[in-house]
Amino acid sequence: MRFGLNRIDRVGVVVALIAAYGLVAPFALFRANRIVQGEGRSLLSALPPSLGVILLAFSVIAIVMALLRLPLFVKLLTSLVMLAMLAFAIGSAAGFLTPEGNNYARVSPGSGFWLLGAAFALLATDCLARLRPPPWGRIAILTATVAAITFVLTSGLWDGLSIIKEYFSRADTFWLEAGRHVTLALGSLAVAAVVGIPLGILCHRVEPVRSAILNLLNIVQTIPSIALFGILIGPLSWVATNVPGAADLGIRGVGMAPAFVALFLYSLLPMVANTVGGLAGVPAEANDAARGVGMTDRQRLAQVELPLAFPVILTGIRIVLVQNIGLATIAALIGGGGFGVFVFQGLGQTAMDLVLLGAVPTVTMAFAAAVILDAIVELVAPANAGRKEATA
Amino acid sequence: MIEIDAISKAYGDVTVVDNVSMTIEAGSITVIVGTSGSGKTTLLRMINRLVEPTSGSIRIDGEDNGAIAPHELRRRIGYAIQGHGLFPHRTVADNIATVPKLLGWPQDRIDARVEELLNLFQLDPASFGPRFPHELSGGQSQRVGVARALAAEPNLLLMDEPFGALDPVIRAKAQDDLLAIQKHFGTTIILVTHDMEEAFGLADRIAVMDGGRLLQYATPSEMLASPATDFVASLIGTAERPFRLLALNPVERAVEPGAAEGKPISADASQRDALAELLWSGRPALPVTGKDGAVAGRVTVDGLLKQARPA
Ligand SMILES: Nc1ncnc2c1ncn2[C@@H]1O[C@H](COP(=O)(O)OP(=O)(O)OP(=O)(O)O)[C@@H](O)[C@H]1O
Ligand SMILES: [Mg+2]
């Protein structure tokens, strides 16, 4: 068997480089208290000696395996084993580095941990992408991943880590803000769908309206979020003081209302544009046939145009949902709540762990939303396969 | 009866249907032929108002089609679209069921009708009913398109090149079925085709279009006997004329007294078939059997040759 360049996997090279660098970078950060600068600890000094050596040895083997063209299942298994080991190792690093009985000291993952994690997560995603699991398979994998993370979190394995300590000191507000974050992201999406889809239909049917509305929404999209909040404070304060009952509904110049309105405004363009695009993509013959068999305009819309445009509209919903989960972080700036609260508090206190307490759940949610909606988009597509071929 | 009265359609400066008038008898088959772009589809679509005429009017059984709400007019008229125009997101069965559903038929009647039509077009209902259009061949799609047009048993059927994608065997079968349906229900059919064989085989009357104008509207034998223009003559095909004429008439009209040897031919077979049989078998004459099965006389090569010219 020749060991030539053609046996080297290209993604494997990237994985190997990142992982190799991760091995020499600090594995964990130790801080005497939560806001001082941390000092890095290498892989071998952050872990109990035997565990450190085992992790090092496994990492080297895994890097070599990543480089070779092995069956995808083998590589996937390797990367999953490595991710599990890393999850375990960082938990025990916390216990190992924290002096007995010290409540101020903080241990957090160092760049080495993140790089190793990123490298093997990349390997795992690459294998999964190449294995092309069907939509349901992807949702199952996502569910399994969430279950694994939940297990690690509830097992107490990571309780010594600084981010978890931050969580424990804020457990109540964490779930409150989580609820607000979801309300902001999903609520504004729902309203944007209810308004945007009919608006898209209108744009499709009435040509002169189309460019006017799309241009206006394009302009809204380019307003920076902070500026949009500022613009909204005036009108919403006015509504709060002048419309009876508005204030009782929580409408104020600051708080959740302007954040909600801003997210809604940002969501409109993708919703309207995708509805218009989806309707425009309906094959002319299908519309012609619908007229020919005697459908009224409304029947044609409900029975032919919307079903055929649905995958594209769903893609718009996916864009909006992922975008909103990220953007909802900004709501904290004007007292709208959400995970952004932790991010901005953390930035203010230069407490990175607090920033992560806000950022990590946000990124996780956005990622999960993308996986789920991509799967749904694919699930509804087969009925339209003929149309895809026709327009391709 | 359909009365097309001085109908014209212009897109901008271009007149694509130019002052066409014709009267189509109820229960007849009219075939429209002509070069590509001559306005056949446009003329057809003005009947069910998918295209609004620039001027002129169309009356269906005396009623101006402009006075009927377009969607109601179209539910009454079967329309087999050029190409097939199936809904890509609906199964074959649902495609065929479209008009009956719009008309509010009960579900069991719809199911029975769909199955009947699929069988009629030689598509196994169990296998084809649940399929999506992208899972069909071109010829199968076309048959489903025609089945959809027939679903609600319309009195008037507009068909735009309905059999173009079918192989010769299935096409002949589909044409026979269409004739049978037409005889049985007395359906008025207007059919567009590029296939002159099909036109002469199906038509009670043929309309020839060129550049938006109706050059000739006549029965097949009139058209063979006296084509209105050179264009009509060339469309019929000069070399094909005697054979088309023979194909139009039954053996019955060429029967002579006398006896002949061998396998007999039926009196209602076409004269072209009789001539083909004579030439191929090398016999001088064929016995002819009447409807009762008894020999009614014979048909000879010379006798047929006399029939191959207009009287
Ligand atoms: N919506 C339209 N706008 C402008 N021109 C049109 C339109 N529809 C049809 N035409 C033109 O009208 C003419 C006649 O078209 P039509 O579809 O009736 O032809 P046809 O005889 O059915 O041709 P074919 O045999 O190729 O189907 C063509 O030149 C076509 O380009
Ligand atoms: Mg045409």
Side-chain angles (χ1 to χ4, degrees):
Chain A
M1 198 166 72
R2 250 183 57 225
F3 189 82
L5 262 183
N6 58 341
R7 296 199 54 83
I8 300 284
D9 185 286
R10 255 177 293 165
V11 175
V13 174
V14 179
V15 170
L17 285 175
I18 299 176
Y21 188 62
L23 283 178
V24 295
F27 186 73
L29 294 178
F30 177 81
R31 280 167 300 170
N33 62 55
R34 65 190 279 266
I35 54 175
V36 296
Q37 196 73 31
E39 33 187 289
R41 295 288 164 84
S42 74
L43 183 68
L44 289 175
S45 62
L47 294 169
S50 52
L51 184 58
V53 172
I54 292 175
L55 182 60
L56 187 62
F58 268 78
S59 302
V60 172
I61 295 172
I63 290 173
V64 174
M65 289 177 76
L67 281 170
L68 298 178
R69 287 185 185 242
L70 296 172
L72 287 174
F73 266 113
V74 176
K75 287 192 165 196
L76 183 61
L77 204 66
T78 310
S79 58
L80 293 181
V81 168
M82 284 312 297
L83 287 172
M85 282 185 75
L86 284 170
F88 180 75
I90 197 66
S92 44
F96 182 69
L97 290 177
T98 311
E100 202 70 44
N102 182 338
N103 276 336
Y104 300 106
R106 288 286 194 271
V107 176
S108 51
S111 52
F113 170 84
W114 292 121
L115 288 170
L116 284 168
F120 292 111
L122 174 65
L123 185 60
T125 13
D126 179 57
C127 292
L128 281 176
R130 285 202 248 169
L131 284 169
R132 297 179 163 279
W136 282 117
R138 297 206 297 269
I139 292 182
I141 292 168
L142 178 71
T143 314
T145 312
V146 170
I149 293 174
T150 314
F151 170 75
V152 171
L153 286 174
T154 50
S155 69
L157 185 62
W158 284 352
D159 284 0
L161 283 179
S162 55
I163 181 170
I164 305 297
K165 287 187 174 168
E166 293 292 346
Y167 165 74
F168 276 124
S169 61
R170 294 180 168 73
D172 293 345
T173 40
F174 181 85
W175 291 108
L176 185 74
E177 300 303 354
R180 285 193 183 152
H181 201 100
V182 172
T183 310
L184 278 174
L186 287 183
S188 58
L189 165 69
V191 179
V194 168
V195 175
I197 294 174
L199 206 56
I201 295 169
L202 181 76
C203 287
H204 175 69
R205 289 271 163 109
V206 190
E207 195 126 1
V209 178
R210 187 182 316 164
S211 51
I213 289 185
L214 287 179
N215 282 334
L216 184 70
L217 292 177
N218 258 316
I219 293 171
V220 171
Q221 203 76 4
T222 59
I223 305 176
S225 40
I226 306 276
L228 190 54
F229 291 146
I231 296 170
L232 287 171
I233 289 176
L236 285 171
S237 307
W238 186 88
V239 170
T241 44
N242 292 290
V243 178
D248 296 334
L249 284 174
I251 296 177
R252 286 181 295 143
V254 292
M256 223 160 144
F260 194 96
V261 174
L263 287 182
F264 161 74
L265 288 177
Y266 285 135
S267 310
L268 267 185
L269 178 67
M271 275 321 308
V272 174
N274 276 58
T275 306
V276 171
L279 291 174
V282 174
E285 307 89 66
N287 265 316
D288 199 43
R291 284 197 196 90
V293 296
M295 288 189 190
T296 61
D297 275 358
R298 197 173 294 182
Q299 285 167 333
R300 185 162 58 87
L301 179 68
Q303 296 181 30
V304 177
E305 291 190 296
L306 283 181
L308 286 175
F310 186 59
V312 184
I313 297 177
L314 207 56
T315 311
I317 291 180
R318 176 210 184 279
I319 295 171
V320 168
L321 183 58
V322 175
Q323 167 187 298
N324 278 7
I325 291 174
L327 267 180
T329 321
I330 314 284
L333 282 179
I334 47 161
F339 284 129
V341 169
F342 304 125
V343 174
F344 291 111
Q345 273 180 14
L347 286 175
Q349 303 173 7
T350 65
M352 264 330 273
D353 301 320
L354 195 49
V355 174
L356 286 178
L357 184 64
V360 171
T362 308
V363 173
T364 312
M365 262 166 57
F367 183 75
V371 171
I372 292 172
L373 276 162
D374 279 341
I376 297 178
V377 168
E378 211 178 302
L379 278 175
V380 302
N384 296 302
R387 177 174 155 263
K388 264 194 191 157
E389 279 161 34
T391 50
Chain B
M1 188 168 72
I2 298 158
E3 295 156 281
I4 299 176
D5 191 4
I7 203 114
S8 294
K9 177 67 190 180
Y11 290 108
D13 297 340
V14 191
T15 305
V16 298
V17 171
D18 192 358
N19 198 24
V20 169
S21 297
M22 59 201 271
T23 301
I24 292 159
E25 291 303 325
S28 71
I29 299 185
T30 298
V31 175
I32 306 177
V33 296
T35 43
S36 190
S38 57
K40 306 181 293 294
T41 298
T42 309
L43 178 63
L44 205 64
R45 287 161 71 92
M46 283 194 283
I47 297 173
N48 66 2
R49 289 183 63 192
L50 280 171
V51 171
E52 292 292 345
T54 311
S55 65
S57 66
I58 295 177
R59 283 183 301 283
I60 299 173
D61 295 329
E63 192 178 4
D64 192 322
N65 73 347
I68 309 170
H71 64 272
E72 278 174 19
L73 178 75
R74 291 175 201 145
R75 285 176 199 178
R76 280 196 241 158
I77 301 177
Y79 179 40
I81 298 171
Q82 185 167 7
H84 68 71
L86 297 179
F87 298 124
H89 62 301
R90 288 194 174 172
T91 61
V92 164
D94 286 342
N95 261 288
I96 297 177
T98 308
V99 186
K101 270 198 186 127
L102 289 173
L103 293 173
W105 285 19
Q107 191 59 45
D108 50 349
R109 184 174 170 205
I110 296 179
D111 293 343
R113 180 68 178 152
V114 168
E115 189 167 333
E116 179 190 349
L117 282 165
L118 281 172
N119 280 324
L120 180 66
F121 286 98
Q122 328 223 298
L123 299 167
D124 173 28
S127 153
F128 284 92
R131 287 201 203 175
F132 284 95
H134 71 270
E135 298 165 322
L136 302 177
S137 75
Q140 289 162 351
S141 307
Q142 219 168 33
R143 276 177 280 163
V144 175
V146 175
R148 183 175 67 184
L150 287 170
E153 294 164 6
N155 287 328
L156 173 56
L157 192 53
L158 309 177
M159 310 179 88
D160 203 342
E161 300 184 29
F163 305 133
L166 304 190
D167 66 76
V169 176
I170 294 188
R171 178 192 300 223
K173 169 83 170 67
Q175 289 166 350
D176 287 347
D177 289 339
L178 187 69
L179 281 174
I181 290 167
Q182 192 263 344
K183 290 240 160 57
H184 186 255
F185 291 103
T187 318
T188 311
I189 296 177
I190 305 176
L191 181 146
V192 172
T193 184
H194 283 288
D195 176 357
M196 293 309 289
E197 195 75 24
E198 181 168 276
F200 277 88
L202 292 176
D204 292 311
R205 279 174 163 261
I206 298 178
V208 181
M209 293 198 54
D210 187 35
R213 282 179 311 130
L214 180 62
L215 296 187
Q216 189 168 15
Y217 178 51
T219 63
S221 23
E222 281 167 7
M223 198 165 279
L224 281 172
S226 44
T229 67
D230 290 347
F231 174 77
V232 176
S234 71
L235 202 62
I236 297 168
T238 332
E240 297 289 334
R241 281 180 299 183
F243 306 106
R244 295 209 194 288
L245 191 58
L246 285 172
L248 286 175
N249 293 313
V251 170
E252 203 172 9
R253 295 204 203 154
V255 176
E256 305 163 22
E261 296 293 307
K263 197 167 154 265
I265 189 164
S266 149
D268 52 7
S270 83
Q271 294 180 357
R272 181 160 70 177
D273 289 347
L275 181 63
E277 179 58 31
L278 283 168
L279 295 178
W280 198 248
S281 64
R283 288 186 277 168
L286 300 177
V288 176
T289 51
K291 287 201 174 58
D292 50 4
V295 175
R298 62 175 186 167
V299 60
T300 61
V301 176
D302 281 347
L304 285 174
L305 292 187
K306 288 196 193 89
Q307 300 281 329
R309 266 174 290 117

